[in-house]
Amino acid sequence: MRKGFYVEDADEAGWSNRPGRTYLKGSSDGTSEPGPAPTYTVSVDVTEGSEFTVYLRSVVIPS
């Protein structure tokens, strides 16, 4: 995870990068299993030390 906000198509889902908030971002290329694998992008709002909000986008592209 790195500092920042990154979820592709976040606006379409109604998520937004709100000023004054602290976010971590990351991504994954899926799994090593055979066949179509999902890709993930994630943002975590860590502004509140004891409560986190996780934004996750998962996409599978058929082969």
Coordinates of all heavy atoms in Angstrom, one line a residue:
M1 N 0.8 -1.2 0.0 CA 0.0 0.0 0.0 C 0.9 1.2 0.0 O 1.9 1.3 0.6 CB -0.9 0.0 1.2 CG -1.8 -1.2 1.4 SD -3.1 -1.3 0.1 CE -4.2 0.0 0.6
R2 N 0.4 2.3 -0.7 CA 1.1 3.5 -0.8 C 0.2 4.7 -0.5 O -1.0 4.5 -0.5 CB 1.7 3.8 -2.2 CG 2.6 2.6 -2.7 CD 3.0 2.8 -4.2 NE 1.9 2.9 -5.1 CZ 1.2 1.9 -5.6 NH1 1.5 0.6 -5.2 NH2 0.2 2.0 -6.5
K3 N 0.7 5.8 -0.1 CA -0.2 7.0 0.2 C -0.9 7.4 -1.1 O -0.3 7.3 -2.2 CB 0.6 8.1 0.7 CG 1.0 8.0 2.2 CD 1.5 9.2 2.7 CE 1.8 9.1 4.2 NZ 2.3 10.3 4.8
G4 N -2.1 7.8 -1.0 CA -2.8 8.3 -2.2 C -4.2 7.7 -2.3 O -4.7 6.9 -1.4
F5 N -5.0 8.1 -3.3 CA -6.3 7.5 -3.6 C -6.4 7.1 -5.0 O -6.1 7.8 -5.9 CB -7.4 8.6 -3.4 CG -8.8 8.2 -3.6 CD1 -9.5 7.6 -2.5 CD2 -9.4 8.2 -4.8 CE1 -10.8 7.2 -2.7 CE2 -10.7 7.8 -5.0 CZ -11.4 7.3 -3.9
Y6 N -6.7 5.8 -5.2 CA -6.8 5.3 -6.5 C -7.8 4.1 -6.6 O -7.5 3.1 -6.0 CB -5.4 4.7 -7.0 CG -5.4 4.0 -8.3 CD1 -5.5 4.7 -9.5 CD2 -5.3 2.6 -8.3 CE1 -5.5 4.1 -10.7 CE2 -5.3 2.0 -9.6 CZ -5.4 2.7 -10.7 OH -5.4 2.0 -11.9
V7 N -8.9 4.4 -7.2 CA -9.8 3.3 -7.6 C -10.3 3.7 -9.0 O -11.0 4.8 -9.1 CB -10.9 3.1 -6.6 CG1 -11.9 2.1 -7.1 CG2 -10.4 2.7 -5.2
E8 N -10.0 2.9 -10.0 CA -10.5 3.3 -11.3 C -12.0 3.3 -11.3 O -12.7 2.6 -10.7 CB -10.0 2.2 -12.3 CG -8.6 2.2 -12.6 CD -8.1 1.1 -13.6 OE1 -9.0 0.5 -14.2 OE2 -6.9 0.8 -13.6
D9 N -12.6 4.3 -12.1 CA -14.0 4.5 -12.2 C -14.7 4.8 -10.8 O -15.8 4.5 -10.6 CB -14.7 3.3 -12.8 CG -14.1 2.9 -14.2 OD1 -13.7 3.9 -14.9 OD2 -14.0 1.7 -14.5
A10 N -13.9 5.3 -9.9 CA -14.5 5.6 -8.6 C -15.7 6.5 -8.6 O -16.7 6.4 -7.9 CB -13.4 6.2 -7.7
D11 N -15.6 7.5 -9.5 CA -16.7 8.5 -9.6 C -18.0 7.8 -10.1 O -19.1 8.1 -9.6 CB -16.4 9.6 -10.6 CG -15.3 10.5 -10.1 OD1 -15.1 10.6 -8.9 OD2 -14.6 11.1 -10.9
E12 N -17.9 6.8 -10.9 CA -19.1 6.0 -11.4 C -19.7 5.3 -10.2 O -20.9 5.1 -10.2 CB -18.7 5.1 -12.5 CG -18.4 5.8 -13.8 CD -18.0 4.8 -14.9 OE1 -18.5 3.6 -14.9 OE2 -17.3 5.2 -15.8
A13 N -18.9 4.8 -9.3 CA -19.4 4.1 -8.1 C -19.9 5.0 -7.0 O -20.4 4.6 -6.0 CB -18.3 3.2 -7.6
G14 N -19.6 6.3 -7.2 CA -20.1 7.3 -6.2 C -19.0 7.5 -5.1 O -19.3 8.1 -4.1
W15 N -17.8 7.1 -5.3 CA -16.7 7.3 -4.4 C -15.9 8.5 -4.8 O -15.8 8.8 -6.0 CB -15.8 6.1 -4.3 CG -16.5 4.8 -4.0 CD1 -17.6 4.6 -3.3 CD2 -16.0 3.5 -4.5 NE1 -17.9 3.3 -3.2 CE2 -17.0 2.6 -3.9 CE3 -15.0 3.0 -5.2 CZ2 -16.9 1.2 -4.2 CZ3 -14.9 1.7 -5.4 CH2 -15.8 0.8 -4.9
S16 N -15.3 9.2 -3.9 CA -14.5 10.4 -4.2 C -13.4 10.5 -3.3 O -13.4 10.1 -2.1 CB -15.4 11.6 -4.3 OG -15.9 11.9 -3.0
N17 N -12.3 11.2 -3.8 CA -11.2 11.5 -3.0 C -11.5 12.8 -2.3 O -11.5 13.9 -2.9 CB -10.0 11.7 -3.9 CG -8.7 12.0 -3.2 OD1 -8.7 12.1 -2.0 ND2 -7.6 12.2 -3.9
R18 N -11.8 12.7 -1.0 CA -12.2 13.9 -0.2 C -11.0 14.6 0.4 O -10.2 14.0 1.0 CB -13.2 13.5 0.8 CG -14.5 12.9 0.2 CD -15.5 12.5 1.3 NE -14.9 11.7 2.3 CZ -15.5 11.4 3.4 NH1 -16.8 11.8 3.7 NH2 -15.0 10.6 4.4
P19 N -10.9 15.9 0.1 CA -9.8 16.7 0.7 C -9.8 16.6 2.2 O -10.8 16.5 2.9 CB -10.1 18.2 0.3 CG -11.0 18.0 -0.9 CD -11.8 16.8 -0.6
G20 N -8.5 16.6 2.8 CA -8.4 16.5 4.2 C -8.4 15.0 4.7 O -8.2 14.8 5.9
R21 N -8.6 14.1 3.9 CA -8.7 12.7 4.3 C -7.3 12.0 4.0 O -6.6 12.5 3.1 CB -9.8 11.9 3.6 CG -11.2 12.5 3.7 CD -11.7 12.6 5.1 NE -12.0 11.2 5.6 CZ -12.6 11.0 6.8 NH1 -12.8 12.1 7.6 NH2 -12.9 9.8 7.2
T22 N -7.0 11.0 4.7 CA -5.7 10.3 4.4 C -6.0 8.9 3.9 O -6.8 8.1 4.5 CB -4.9 10.1 5.7 OG1 -4.7 11.4 6.3 CG2 -3.6 9.4 5.5
Y23 N -5.5 8.6 2.7 CA -5.8 7.3 2.0 C -4.5 6.5 1.7 O -3.4 7.1 1.6 CB -6.4 7.6 0.6 CG -7.7 8.3 0.7 CD1 -7.8 9.7 0.5 CD2 -8.9 7.6 0.8 CE1 -9.1 10.3 0.6 CE2 -10.2 8.2 0.9 CZ -10.2 9.6 0.8 OH -11.4 10.2 0.8
L24 N -4.7 5.2 1.7 CA -3.6 4.3 1.2 C -4.2 3.7 -0.1 O -5.4 3.5 -0.2 CB -3.3 3.2 2.2 CG -2.8 3.7 3.5 CD1 -2.5 2.5 4.4 CD2 -1.5 4.5 3.3
K25 N -3.3 3.4 -1.1 CA -3.8 2.8 -2.3 C -3.0 1.6 -2.7 O -1.8 1.5 -2.2 CB -3.8 3.8 -3.4 CG -2.4 4.3 -3.8 CD -2.4 5.3 -4.9 CE -1.0 5.7 -5.3 NZ -1.0 6.6 -6.4
G26 N -3.5 0.7 -3.4 CA -2.8 -0.5 -3.9 C -3.5 -1.2 -5.0 O -4.6 -0.8 -5.4
S27 N -2.9 -2.2 -5.6 CA -3.5 -2.9 -6.7 C -2.9 -4.3 -6.7 O -1.9 -4.6 -6.1 CB -3.3 -2.2 -8.0 OG -1.9 -2.2 -8.3
S28 N -3.6 -5.2 -7.4 CA -3.2 -6.6 -7.5 C -3.5 -7.1 -8.9 O -4.6 -6.7 -9.4 CB -3.8 -7.5 -6.5 OG -3.6 -8.9 -6.8
D29 N -2.7 -7.9 -9.5 CA -3.0 -8.5 -10.8 C -3.8 -9.8 -10.7 O -3.8 -10.5 -11.7 CB -1.7 -8.7 -11.6 CG -1.1 -7.3 -12.0 OD1 -1.8 -6.4 -12.2 OD2 0.2 -7.3 -12.1
G30 N -4.3 -10.1 -9.6 CA -5.1 -11.3 -9.5 C -4.4 -12.5 -8.9 O -3.5 -12.3 -8.0
T31 N -4.7 -13.7 -9.4 CA -4.1 -14.9 -8.8 C -3.3 -15.6 -9.8 O -3.3 -15.3 -11.0 CB -5.2 -15.8 -8.3 OG1 -6.0 -16.3 -9.4 CG2 -6.2 -15.1 -7.4
S32 N -2.6 -16.6 -9.3 CA -1.8 -17.5 -10.3 C -2.6 -18.7 -10.7 O -2.1 -19.6 -11.4 CB -0.6 -17.9 -9.5 OG -0.9 -18.7 -8.4
E33 N -3.9 -18.8 -10.4 CA -4.7 -19.9 -10.9 C -5.0 -19.8 -12.4 O -5.0 -18.7 -12.9 CB -6.1 -19.8 -10.1 CG -6.0 -20.0 -8.6 CD -5.5 -21.3 -8.2 OE1 -5.8 -22.3 -8.8 OE2 -4.6 -21.4 -7.3
P34 N -5.2 -20.9 -13.0 CA -5.5 -20.8 -14.5 C -6.8 -20.2 -14.8 O -7.7 -20.2 -13.9 CB -5.4 -22.3 -14.9 CG -5.6 -23.1 -13.7 CD -5.1 -22.2 -12.5
G35 N -6.9 -19.7 -16.0 CA -8.2 -19.1 -16.4 C -8.2 -17.6 -16.1 O -7.2 -17.0 -15.6
P36 N -9.3 -16.9 -16.4 CA -9.4 -15.5 -16.2 C -9.3 -15.2 -14.7 O -9.8 -15.8 -13.8 CB -10.8 -15.1 -16.7 CG -11.3 -16.2 -17.5 CD -10.5 -17.5 -17.0
A37 N -8.5 -14.2 -14.4 CA -8.2 -13.8 -13.0 C -8.6 -12.3 -12.8 O -8.5 -11.5 -13.7 CB -6.7 -13.9 -12.7
P38 N -9.2 -12.1 -11.7 CA -9.6 -10.7 -11.4 C -8.4 -9.8 -11.1 O -7.4 -10.3 -10.7 CB -10.5 -10.8 -10.1 CG -10.0 -12.0 -9.5 CD -9.5 -12.9 -10.6
T39 N -8.5 -8.5 -11.5 CA -7.6 -7.5 -11.0 C -8.3 -6.6 -10.0 O -9.5 -6.4 -10.1 CB -7.1 -6.7 -12.2 OG1 -8.2 -6.0 -12.8 CG2 -6.3 -7.5 -13.2
Y40 N -7.5 -6.2 -9.1 CA -8.1 -5.4 -8.0 C -7.4 -4.0 -7.9 O -6.2 -4.0 -8.0 CB -7.9 -6.1 -6.6 CG -8.5 -7.5 -6.6 CD1 -7.7 -8.6 -6.7 CD2 -9.8 -7.7 -6.3 CE1 -8.2 -9.9 -6.7 CE2 -10.4 -9.0 -6.3 CZ -9.5 -10.1 -6.4 OH -10.0 -11.3 -6.4
T41 N -8.2 -3.0 -7.6 CA -7.6 -1.7 -7.1 C -8.3 -1.4 -5.8 O -9.5 -1.7 -5.6 CB -7.8 -0.6 -8.1 OG1 -9.2 -0.4 -8.4 CG2 -7.1 -0.8 -9.4
V42 N -7.6 -0.9 -4.9 CA -8.1 -0.7 -3.5 C -7.6 0.7 -3.0 O -6.5 1.1 -3.3 CB -7.8 -1.8 -2.6 CG1 -6.3 -1.9 -2.4 CG2 -8.5 -1.7 -1.2
S43 N -8.5 1.4 -2.3 CA -8.2 2.6 -1.5 C -8.7 2.4 -0.1 O -9.8 1.9 0.0 CB -8.8 3.8 -2.2 OG -8.1 4.1 -3.4
V44 N -7.9 2.8 0.9 CA -8.4 2.7 2.2 C -8.3 4.0 2.9 O -7.2 4.7 2.9 CB -7.5 1.7 3.0 CG1 -8.0 1.5 4.5 CG2 -7.5 0.3 2.3
D45 N -9.4 4.5 3.4 CA -9.4 5.8 4.1 C -9.0 5.5 5.6 O -9.7 4.8 6.3 CB -10.8 6.4 4.1 CG -10.9 7.8 4.8 OD1 -10.1 8.1 5.6 OD2 -11.9 8.5 4.5
V46 N -7.8 6.0 5.9 CA -7.3 5.7 7.3 C -7.2 7.0 8.2 O -6.5 7.0 9.1 CB -5.8 5.1 7.2 CG1 -5.9 3.7 6.5 CG2 -4.9 6.0 6.4
T47 N -8.1 7.9 7.8 CA -8.2 9.2 8.6 C -8.5 8.9 10.0 O -7.8 9.5 10.9 CB -9.2 10.1 7.9 OG1 -8.9 10.3 6.6 CG2 -9.1 11.5 8.6
E48 N -9.5 8.1 10.3 CA -9.8 7.8 11.7 C -8.9 6.6 12.1 O -8.9 5.6 11.4 CB -11.3 7.4 11.8 CG -12.3 8.5 11.3 CD -12.2 9.7 12.1 OE1 -11.9 9.7 13.3 OE2 -12.4 10.8 11.5
G49 N -8.2 6.8 13.2 CA -7.2 5.7 13.6 C -7.8 4.4 13.9 O -7.2 3.4 13.8
S50 N -9.1 4.3 14.3 CA -9.7 3.1 14.8 C -10.7 2.5 13.8 O -11.2 1.4 14.0 CB -10.3 3.2 16.1 OG -11.3 4.2 16.1
E51 N -11.1 3.3 12.8 CA -12.1 2.8 11.8 C -11.6 3.2 10.4 O -11.2 4.3 10.1 CB -13.4 3.5 12.0 CG -14.1 3.2 13.3 CD -15.4 3.9 13.5 OE1 -16.0 4.3 12.5 OE2 -15.9 4.0 14.7
F52 N -11.6 2.2 9.5 CA -11.2 2.4 8.1 C -12.3 2.2 7.2 O -13.2 1.4 7.4 CB -10.1 1.4 7.8 CG -8.9 1.4 8.7 CD1 -8.5 0.3 9.4 CD2 -8.2 2.6 8.9 CE1 -7.5 0.3 10.3 CE2 -7.1 2.6 9.8 CZ -6.8 1.5 10.5
T53 N -12.3 2.9 6.1 CA -13.3 2.7 5.0 C -12.5 2.1 3.8 O -11.5 2.8 3.4 CB -14.0 4.0 4.6 OG1 -14.7 4.5 5.7 CG2 -15.0 3.7 3.5
V54 N -12.9 1.0 3.3 CA -12.2 0.3 2.2 C -13.0 0.4 0.9 O -14.2 0.1 0.9 CB -11.9 -1.2 2.5 CG1 -11.2 -1.8 1.3 CG2 -11.1 -1.3 3.8
Y55 N -12.4 0.9 -0.2 CA -13.0 1.0 -1.5 C -12.3 0.0 -2.4 O -11.1 0.1 -2.6 CB -12.8 2.4 -2.1 CG -13.4 3.5 -1.2 CD1 -12.6 4.1 -0.2 CD2 -14.7 3.9 -1.3 CE1 -13.1 5.1 0.6 CE2 -15.3 4.9 -0.5 CZ -14.5 5.5 0.4 OH -15.0 6.5 1.2
L56 N -13.0 -0.9 -2.9 CA -12.4 -2.0 -3.7 C -13.1 -2.1 -5.1 O -14.3 -2.1 -5.2 CB -12.5 -3.3 -3.0 CG -12.1 -4.6 -3.7 CD1 -10.5 -4.5 -3.9 CD2 -12.5 -5.8 -3.0
R57 N -12.3 -2.2 -6.1 CA -12.8 -2.5 -7.5 C -12.2 -3.7 -8.0 O -11.0 -3.9 -7.9 CB -12.5 -1.3 -8.4 CG -12.9 -1.5 -9.8 CD -12.5 -0.3 -10.7 NE -13.0 -0.5 -12.0 CZ -12.2 -0.9 -13.0 NH1 -10.9 -1.2 -12.8 NH2 -12.6 -1.0 -14.3
S58 N -13.0 -4.7 -8.4 CA -12.6 -6.0 -8.9 C -13.1 -6.2 -10.3 O -14.3 -6.0 -10.5 CB -13.0 -7.1 -8.0 OG -12.6 -8.3 -8.6
V59 N -12.2 -6.5 -11.3 CA -12.7 -6.7 -12.6 C -12.1 -8.0 -13.2 O -10.9 -8.3 -12.9 CB -12.2 -5.6 -13.5 CG1 -12.5 -5.8 -15.0 CG2 -12.8 -4.2 -13.1
V60 N -12.9 -8.8 -13.8 CA -12.5 -10.0 -14.5 C -12.8 -9.8 -16.0 O -13.9 -9.5 -16.4 CB -13.2 -11.3 -14.0 CG1 -12.8 -12.5 -14.8 CG2 -13.0 -11.5 -12.5
I61 N -11.7 -10.0 -16.8 CA -11.9 -9.9 -18.3 C -11.9 -11.3 -18.8 O -10.9 -12.1 -18.7 CB -10.7 -9.1 -18.9 CG1 -10.8 -7.7 -18.3 CG2 -10.9 -9.1 -20.4 CD1 -9.6 -6.8 -18.7
P62 N -13.0 -11.8 -19.4 CA -13.1 -13.1 -19.9 C -12.0 -13.4 -21.0 O -11.7 -12.5 -21.7 CB -14.5 -13.2 -20.6 CG -15.2 -12.0 -20.0 CD -14.2 -11.0 -19.7
S63 N -11.6 -14.6 -21.0 CA -10.6 -14.9 -22.1 C -11.2 -15.3 -23.4 O -12.3 -15.6 -23.5 CB -9.6 -16.0 -21.5 OG -10.4 -17.2 -21.1

